[in-house]
């Protein structure tokens, strides 16, 4: 039988500590909430009161429940108030020496059978535990912010944590309505180990001026379905907190360069630009603590002003290709009012593409997203062809053929001879260098990448990839076209992976390495990222959907271009691909899909 926790203590009443107090009190557990001073205590009380009042205002908590919750909390100054609690959770700032001092004092104050827990997100639970005479009763209980909302708790055991203590804490998490994943004491645990490498990479991307902060954040929200972009998330976490976590992970986790905090991050922390809590970080906020972003000197020009700068008129568009992506792009342009010429390698392929477009448009009608008149008008704008020469008078060509450089270069050389001067030539490549394609023509200034995401009619993002030869006029035209299509165009340089894949796939690769090291299971890693970070899919779910062979090819491209050791494909990923385990399409990848 798991032990019954009748009273718990929480040390530190910042945002996280106050949230943990609320979680316990909501579930009928009496809480002794402790701070270092009367001022800090009142600030913590105000945080808890504000949170519960908002819950009442939103109808998620009755006033009587709120009052009962507050009555369960005993606000006290000083650790001596914790002498009779069954469990203490420490939630103070991420400084090892501070936590060790607190745990040494808790060891003195608390009754012998009390469990001592830390909410640390990155520090060594083992190093904290040795400050006590009861390291076997010390454990990590890592809640996620905001604690009352987020379902995940990482339960972190050290090599000496008692099995009974682990079982008792797991049972407690279930009582609190949380999903726990139990793991050993390693830098960053699951969620932060995977999350912060990605966040740091995004900071480096911004620092190198590869893309704007707005475009980086929009790319990851719209391209991956993430709840927040990486730079906005850094501002929410706090740049000082992010720096400490990264620095700790770098020192404890084998000095992986990708966890070495980006120089810009240290500079911003030194300058007091800490994110929302200071009123300014990567973005500027209405006031300290406010979530409302206000314009500053880095805010881009209004879309209309930017697009008016030299964009060419586009009326007729050619789409070359017969696959799923080409079919989707044809539909997108036709629905947006463009005249479209679809070119495939033969009448049979044209017929299949035509049928696929009709089927998709009919689904739109059935679902009420498109009228029958709009469907008929869209189909009426499409001309079906098997001859590139029919592209002689178009204003824009979008290439969506196989991802082989030689094929694309040969196609662009032909388009160079066929198309009239001033035509924008675009490639939908997701991984190949756009400049290589551009240099197959005599007009590289007119070549740009337009990376649509699949399915093109649904996904709102397009990456606009500028080479060092792409003209400002061509880029402005691409942005204007994306706007007319109702898409969000994000502009970036011609580098492997562009924005989305360059940030996404190293994170997926890190998850494979974590599984390969037997640190956790695929299920628990997926739970951690979905429940702890709000991701729509866990990394292994996503890898199986994308295809392990596709993922491996993209990771190899990133590694070959950037030569970053941490980007080398995980051996387990290579082995699975070699064995023919490619994900859902083959019936088996990280999971067996034949039994579902």
């Amino acid at each position: 039988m798991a032990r019954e926790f009748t009273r718990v203590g929480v040390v530190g009443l910042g945002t996280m500590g106050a949230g943990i107090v609320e979680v316990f009190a909501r579930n009928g557990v009496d809480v002794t909430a402790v701070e270092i001073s009367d001022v800090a205590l009142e600030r913590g009380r105000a945080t808890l009161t504000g949170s519960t009042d908002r819950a009442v205002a939103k109808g998620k908590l009755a006033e009587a429940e709120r009052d009962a919750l507050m009555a369960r909390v005993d606000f006290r100054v000083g650790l001596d108030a914790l002498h009779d609690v069954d469990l203490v959770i420490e939630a103070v700032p991420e400084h090892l020496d501070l936590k060790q001092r607190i745990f040494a004092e808790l060891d003195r104050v608390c009754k012998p059978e009390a469990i001592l827990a830390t909410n640390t997100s990155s520090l060594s639970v083992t190093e904290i535990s040795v400050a006590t005479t009861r390291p076997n009763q010390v454990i990590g209980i890592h809640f996620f912010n905001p604690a009352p909302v987020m379902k995940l708790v990482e339960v972190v055991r050290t090599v000496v944590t008692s099995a009974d203590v682990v079982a008792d804490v797991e049972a407690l998490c279930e009582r609190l309505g949380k999903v726990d994943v139990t793991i050993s004491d390693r830098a960053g645990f699951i969620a932060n180990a995977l999350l912060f490498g990605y966040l740091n990479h995004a900071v480096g991307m911004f620092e190198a001026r590869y893309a704007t902060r707005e475009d980086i954040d929009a790319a990851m929200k719209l391209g991956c379905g993430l709840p927040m972009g990486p730079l906005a998330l850094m501002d929410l976490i706090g740049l000082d907190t992010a720096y400490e976590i990264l620095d700790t992970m770098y020192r404890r986790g084998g000095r992986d360069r990708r966890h070495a905090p980006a120089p810009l991050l240290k500079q911003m922390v030194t300058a007091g630009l800490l994110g929302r809590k200071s009123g300014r970080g990567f973005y500027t906020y209405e006031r300290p603590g406010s979530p409302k972003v206000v314009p500053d000197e880095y805010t881009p020009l209004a879309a209309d002003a930017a697009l008016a700068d030299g964009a060419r008129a586009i009326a007729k568009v050619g789409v070359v290709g017969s696959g799923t992506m080409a079919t989707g792009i044809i539909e997108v342009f036709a629905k947006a009012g463009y005249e479209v010429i679809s070119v495939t390698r033969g009448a049979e392929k044209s017929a299949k593409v035509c049928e696929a477009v009709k089927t998709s448009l009919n689904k739109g009608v059935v679902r009420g997203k498109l009228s029958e008149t709009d469907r008929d008008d869209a189909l009426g704008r499409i001309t079906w062809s098997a001859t590139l020469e029919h592209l002689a008078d178009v204003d824009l060509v979008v290439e969506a053929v196989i991802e082989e450089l030689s094929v694309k270069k040969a196609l662009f050389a032909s388009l160079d001879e066929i198309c009239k001067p001033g035509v924008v030539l675009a490639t939908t490549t997701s991984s190949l260098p756009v400049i290589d394609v551009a240099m197959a023509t005599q007009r590289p200034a007119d070549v740009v990448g337009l990376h649509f995401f699949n399915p093109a009619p649904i996904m709102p993002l397009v990456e606009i990839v500028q080479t060092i030869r792409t003209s400002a006029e061509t880029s402005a035209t691409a942005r204007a076209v994306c706007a007319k299509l109702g898409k969000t165009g994000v502009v970036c340089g011609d580098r492997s992976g562009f924005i989305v894949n360059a940030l996404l796939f190293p994170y997926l690769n890190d998850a494979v390495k974590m599984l390969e090291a037997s640190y956790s299971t695929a299920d628990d890693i997926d739970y951690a990222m979905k429940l702890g970070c709000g991701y729509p899919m866990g990394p292994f779910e996503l890898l199986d959907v994308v295809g392990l062979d596709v993922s491996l090819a993209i990771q190899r491209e990133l590694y070959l271009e950037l030569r970053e050791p941490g980007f080398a494909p995980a051996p387990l990923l290579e082995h699975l691909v070699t064995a023919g385990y490619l994900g859902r399409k083959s019936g088996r990848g990280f999971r067996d899909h034949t039994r579902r």
Side-chain angles (χ1 to χ4, degrees), residues 26 57 78 102 121 123 149 159-160 204 212 238 244 278 304 306 320 369 394 403 421 424 446 468 487 506-507:
R26 270 180 182 253
I102 288 173
S121 60
L123 296 174
V149 176
V159 291
V160 296
T212 67
E244 290 294 337
S278 69
D304 291 344
V320 183
K369 297 183 177 181
V394 300
E403 280 284 274
V424 173
D446 294 330
I468 56 174
K487 304 291 187 185
Y507 146 74

Side-chain angles (χ1 to χ4, degrees), residues 280-495:
R280 184 157 184 177
F282 289 103
Y283 296 90
T284 300
Y285 299 88
E286 190 173 44
R287 62 183 180 278
S290 170
K292 184 178 179 181
V293 175
V294 296
D296 58 22
E297 64 268 33
Y298 300 109
T299 302
L301 294 172
D304 291 344
L307 298 178
D309 184 22
R312 300 172 194 168
I314 303 293
K316 185 180 290 188
V317 178
V319 179
V320 183
S322 57
T324 303
M325 185 57 74
T327 302
I329 293 170
I330 291 166
E331 179 182 339
V332 167
F333 275 100
K335 286 195 298 188
Y338 289 98
E339 186 178 343
V340 181
I341 298 178
S342 165
V343 179
T344 66
R345 288 185 296 173
E348 186 178 339
K349 287 187 178 295
S350 283
K352 286 183 178 179
V353 174
C354 178
E355 191 59 35
V357 172
K358 286 180 180 178
T359 299
S360 180
L361 290 171
N362 284 332
K363 286 180 180 177
V365 173
V366 171
R367 292 169 181 167
K369 297 183 177 181
L370 202 66
S371 70
E372 291 187 5
T373 300
D374 289 338
R375 174 199 62 194
D376 295 341
D377 288 347
L379 286 170
R381 296 186 192 104
I382 306 171
T383 301
W384 308 99
S385 171
T387 307
L388 286 176
E389 281 70 19
H390 288 162
L391 302 176
D393 65 341
V394 300
D395 306 307
L396 164 68
V397 179
V398 180
E399 164 273 310
V401 301
I402 190 170
E403 280 284 274
E404 288 186 13
L405 186 57
S406 60
V407 175
K408 291 182 187 288
K409 288 174 71 173
L411 173 60
F412 271 71
S414 297
L415 293 174
D416 189 33
E417 295 179 1
I418 293 166
C419 295
K420 65 187 180 183
V423 173
V424 173
L425 304 178
T427 173
T428 61
T429 183
S430 61
S431 58
L432 299 173
V434 178
I435 190 63
D436 282 359
V437 176
M439 295 309 292
T441 75
Q442 299 300 310
R443 51 175 110 181
D446 294 330
V447 178
V448 69
L450 282 181
H451 178 215
F452 289 79
F453 286 73
N454 195 29
I458 295 173
M459 295 296 284
L461 183 71
V462 178
E463 289 178 318
I464 300 169
V465 186
Q466 303 176 137
T467 77
I468 56 174
R469 297 288 297 270
T470 303
S471 70
E473 187 182 20
T474 299
S475 182
T477 304
R479 294 172 65 194
V481 166
C482 289
K484 186 174 177 182
L485 294 176
K487 304 291 187 185
T488 298
V490 296
V491 180
C492 60
D494 183 23
R495 198 174 78 179

Side-chain angles (χ1 to χ4, degrees), residues 52-118:
T52 53
D53 285 350
R54 285 192 297 274
V56 170
K58 293 176 181 177
K60 296 183 177 180
L61 194 68
E63 288 190 20
E65 291 174 326
R66 186 263 319 274
D67 296 342
L69 184 160
M70 294 299 294
R72 292 188 191 101
V73 185
D74 181 18
F75 292 93
R76 305 286 290 274
V77 173
L79 298 178
D80 286 339
L82 301 171
H83 62 89
D84 65 342
V85 300
D86 304 306
L87 164 72
V88 181
I89 299 180
E90 161 275 309
V92 304
E94 289 284 273
H95 300 294
L96 181 61
D97 56 345
L98 171 62
K99 291 180 187 285
Q100 287 178 325
R101 288 199 303 274
I102 288 173
F103 269 73
E105 186 64 12
L106 290 173
D107 188 38
R108 181 188 67 79
V109 168
C110 294
K111 58 189 180 184
E113 65 270 23
I115 294 174
L116 308 182
T118 173

Side-chain angles (χ1 to χ4, degrees), residues 190 194 504 507-518 520-530 535 537-548 551 570 572-573 576 582-584 588-593 596:
I190 296 176
L194 296 179
L504 174 64
Y507 146 74
L508 297 176
N509 195 51
D510 284 346
V512 179
K513 290 179 180 178
M514 185 177 283
L515 178 66
E516 188 174 44
S518 300
S520 189
T521 66
D523 285 345
D524 279 355
I525 294 171
D526 277 355
Y527 284 140
M529 299 314 294
K530 289 194 294 183
Y535 282 26
M537 299 179 77
F540 298 105
E541 288 177 291
L542 183 55
L543 281 161
D544 275 1
V545 168
V546 171
L548 274 60
S551 302
L572 176 59
L573 182 61
L576 288 169
L582 307 182
R584 286 189 181 179
R588 182 165 178 179
F590 286 98
R591 294 184 172 90
D592 186 347
H593 299 279
R596 302 188 178 201

